[in-house]
Amino acid sequence: AAGKVNGKPVNFMVDTGATNVAISSNTASRAGITSCVAQTFSTANGSVQGCKAIVENIVFGTFRLREVSEFLCVRREETFPR
């Protein structure tokens, strides 16, 4: 589904059972998210490394969210934003 993170267009996959909002580090970079705190997250598939950031705004359909705590997925070959 179409949406925006900090005004930048993104395509969302909605998981109604998810506890966190998760985006890729590439999406974070495009959205101007420049810092986060490294953290280990528990998922349905086990533990995963990522980082936590506060995102100014997320738009999804008629929903408008501000100051959202977000989990950034980081692939092994990528680095955490600082």
Side-chain angles (χ1 to χ4, degrees), residues 32-81:
I33 300 166
T34 58
S35 65
C36 64
V37 177
Q39 191 170 326
T40 300
F41 294 86
S42 295
T43 73
N45 289 327
S47 295
V48 63
Q49 293 296 312
C51 63
K52 186 176 179 179
I54 302 297
V55 178
E56 290 179 29
N57 62 70
I58 294 177
V59 175
F60 177 77
T62 59
F63 295 98
R64 307 239 181 306
L65 307 171
R66 297 182 50 83
E67 302 296 320
V68 178
S69 177
E70 205 163 75
F71 159 52
L72 307 182
C73 298
V74 178
R75 295 189 195 110
R76 292 178 202 271
E77 66 272 12
E78 296 175 330
T79 59
F80 292 117

